[in-house]
């Protein structure tokens, strides 16, 4: 999980601030595409947004070289700025 610059999200009729970003690969065809599930969390570690992103060629072979590279790719797709690693207290 990564920390991000705060992003306002509309949740149940009000805005909340997402400050954490998680990414998991949920399907990879091991050839030319992968599907990722992302979640955005507020400061209380409550999920306030969830969705999927599909990585296809050429990003699949050029961008997904490490897990951190996948995070950076997904953050770019979502307009997020990663600020560091999440370290729960």
């Amino acid at each position: 999980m990564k920390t991000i610059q705060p992003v306002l999200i509309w949740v149940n009729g009000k805005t909340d601030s997402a400050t954490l970003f998680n990414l998991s690969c949920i399907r990879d065809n091991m050839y030319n595409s992968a599907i990722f599930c992302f979640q955005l969390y507020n400061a209380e570690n409550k999920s306030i947004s969830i969705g999927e992103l599909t990585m296809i060629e050429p990003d699949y072979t050029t961008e997904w070289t490490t897990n951190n590279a996948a995070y950076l790719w997904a953050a770019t797709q979502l307009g997020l700025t990663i600020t560091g690693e999440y370290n729960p207290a």
Side-chain angles (χ1 to χ4, degrees):
M1 189 174 312
K2 306 288 186 183
T3 58
I4 57 172
Q5 285 184 350
V7 176
L8 293 178
I9 306 284
W10 186 258
V11 182
N12 297 325
K14 62 179 183 168
T15 58
D16 201 349
S17 182
T19 57
L20 300 171
F21 171 45
N22 192 49
L23 185 70
S24 301
C25 182
I26 57 175
R27 190 168 70 221
D28 180 0
N29 72 2
M30 304 294 284
Y31 176 64
N32 65 357
S33 68
I35 298 173
F36 295 90
C37 175
F38 70 87
Q39 286 182 282
L40 299 176
Y41 297 87
N42 64 14
E44 291 78 37
N45 217 0
K46 179 182 175 189
S47 178
I48 59 173
S49 183
I50 188 169
E52 292 182 2
L53 293 169
T54 301
M55 180 188 282
I56 59 173
E57 292 283 3
D59 292 338
Y60 181 82
T61 53
T62 60
E63 297 297 324
W64 192 9
T65 55
T66 65
N67 288 341
N68 277 332
Y71 263 104
L72 291 173
W73 172 85
T76 298
Q77 303 304 304
L78 297 169
L80 303 174
T81 301
I82 295 173
T83 58
E85 294 291 328
Y86 172 64
N87 295 309

